[in-house]
């Protein structure tokens, strides 16, 4: 089966598109060691075939978008762990190639989304769930720019700007995005009706509404109960397609590097309500499995025809 080659934005205009789920939990289920600060990037560096296998598990479950293992890869943090600049660039580019291999072998057309995790992710201390790092927008843009350039050099179909905790970092990411000419989605992580840093959701989503390169905006890696209010807030300030890929309701404990599961399992997600609110890009984040994605896909309205035609998205000048 060939890669999906039509713009993801066009497919979202026709209906729902199914995302993948948590890469880390699938790698763990395959027996991979995720201990240490590198997390999934350890597998990316040491056992790349396992990354392909994890992507393939989601493709078999019906995912139409595979998100790369680049979430936690950053130059400064990886230099402190013995990776020179060339090696870090190599990991970023490898993440796209591995997802593309799985997409090429998938039983249906699949897009590849290059993951751009927040600054807090590379700190490996849970900062992405707090935000407000004390850095300027310019400094955050300088951090993200080389990562995004390395990812785009491999020609992903779209960038996944994900788990963003505050509007300052979103502004930095959108600044770099405008420089590249690439397309992206933007996902905030939220709690209690605000971004994780405490910013109003309307303010946060309005930034994406003003960017012509953002193909979808919404939330990820949050409690499923937070999704619908956030989507409604987004719909009040933008007509863009919305996205929703929460975790399973667990809470990350950075001190012990463990997830604390919810007191009671979540009931089936109200995806019909999410769809009515404008969500068109739907899937799961941490602790959401291929089986969960398969069940979710069975409840989504089908996208319209022609989702796999047209040119691939690339950085400007590529």
């Amino acid at each position: 089966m060939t890669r999906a080659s039509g713009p993801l934005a066009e497919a979202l205009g026709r209906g729902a598109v199914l995302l993948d789920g948590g890469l880390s939990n699938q790698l763990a289920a395959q027996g991979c060691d995720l201990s240490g600060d590198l997390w999934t990037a350890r597998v990316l560096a040491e056992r790349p075939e396992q990354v392909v296998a994890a992507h393939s598990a989601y493709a078999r479950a019906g995912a139409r978008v595979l998100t790369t293992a680049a979430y936690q890869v950053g130059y400064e943090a990886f230099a402190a762990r013995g990776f020179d600049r060339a090696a870090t660039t190599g990991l970023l580019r490898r993440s796209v190639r591995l997802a593309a291999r799985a997409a090429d072998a998938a039983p249906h057309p699949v897009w590849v989304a290059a993951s751009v995790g927040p600054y807090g992710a590379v700190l490996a201390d849970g900062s992405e769930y707090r935000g407000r790092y004390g850095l300027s927008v310019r400094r955050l843009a300088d951090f993200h720019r080389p990562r995004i350039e390395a990812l785009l050099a491999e020609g992903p179909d779209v960038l996944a700007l994900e788990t963003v905790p505050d509007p300052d970092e979103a502004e930095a990411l959108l600044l770099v995005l405008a420089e590249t000419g690439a397309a992206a989605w933007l996902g905030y992580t939220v709690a209690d009706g605000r971004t994780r840093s405490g910013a109003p959701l309307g303010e946060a989503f309005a930034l994406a509404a003003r960017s012509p390169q953002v193909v979808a905006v919404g939330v990820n890696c949050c409690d499923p109960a937070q999704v619908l209010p956030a989507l409604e807030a987004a719909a009040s300030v933008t007509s863009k397609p919305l996205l929703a890929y929460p975790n399973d309701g667990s809470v990350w404990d950075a001190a012990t590097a463990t997830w604390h599961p919810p007191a009671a399992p979540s009931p089936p997600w109200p995806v019909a309500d999410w769809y009515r609110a404008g969500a068109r890009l739907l899937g799961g984040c941490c602790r959401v499995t291929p089986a969960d994605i398969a069940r979710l896909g069975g409840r989504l309205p089908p996208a319209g025809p022609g989702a796999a035609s047209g040119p691939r998205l690339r950085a400007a000048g590529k």
Side-chain angles (χ1 to χ4, degrees), residues 42-304:
R42 177 176 178 178
V43 187
L44 178 64
E46 298 175 358
R47 303 182 68 186
E49 293 300 322
Q50 289 293 323
V51 176
V52 177
H55 288 315
S56 296
Y58 283 110
R60 289 192 300 272
R64 299 286 304 282
V65 183
L66 300 178
T67 308
T68 71
Y71 176 82
Q72 203 159 359
V73 182
Y75 286 93
E76 295 172 4
F78 274 53
R81 299 175 178 99
F83 290 79
D84 63 20
R85 192 169 187 84
T88 301
T89 296
L91 283 181
L92 289 164
R93 296 186 65 167
R94 174 187 285 180
S95 74
V96 179
R97 292 196 301 272
L98 297 179
R101 278 178 54 190
D104 288 339
H108 49 260
V110 171
W111 287 272
V112 170
S115 174
V116 182
Y119 177 84
V122 303
L123 302 179
D125 65 357
S127 291
E128 65 263 53
Y129 298 114
R130 298 188 296 272
R132 300 302 184 198
Y133 318 115
L135 302 178
S136 67
V137 170
R138 179 177 178 180
R139 174 68 184 86
L140 288 167
D142 290 343
F143 166 78
H144 284 295
R145 185 175 291 107
R147 304 169 72 212
I148 288 174
E149 290 173 348
L151 291 165
L152 287 175
E154 287 294 329
D157 299 302
V158 66
L159 296 174
L161 313 179
E162 54 183 356
T163 325
V164 178
D166 65 61
D168 285 350
E169 187 158 24
E171 184 178 349
L173 285 162
L174 295 175
L175 175 65
V176 177
L177 189 67
E179 297 168 359
T180 67
W185 76 66
L186 175 63
Y188 287 99
T189 183
V190 301
D192 301 321
R194 304 176 78 86
T195 71
R196 293 279 188 163
S197 66
L201 292 182
E203 170 191 333
F205 291 128
L207 287 172
R210 295 192 290 268
S211 171
Q213 293 162 267
V214 172
V215 301
V217 63
V219 295
N220 76 285
C221 209
C222 62
D223 190 301
Q226 299 289 324
V227 170
L228 185 57
L231 293 177
E232 292 171 343
S236 71
V237 296
T238 181
S239 60
K240 291 181 182 291
L242 305 184
L243 69 94
Y245 55 111
N247 57 39
D248 72 341
S250 297
V251 176
W252 176 249
D253 185 339
T256 61
T258 56
W259 286 98
H260 295 299
S266 295
W269 294 348
V271 293
D273 292 339
W274 298 354
Y275 186 86
R276 281 192 291 270
R280 295 296 180 268
L281 195 55
L282 297 105
C285 203
C286 299
R287 298 171 65 85
V288 176
T289 69
D292 295 328
I293 291 300
R295 285 190 290 270
L296 175 61
R299 300 173 60 212
L300 294 182

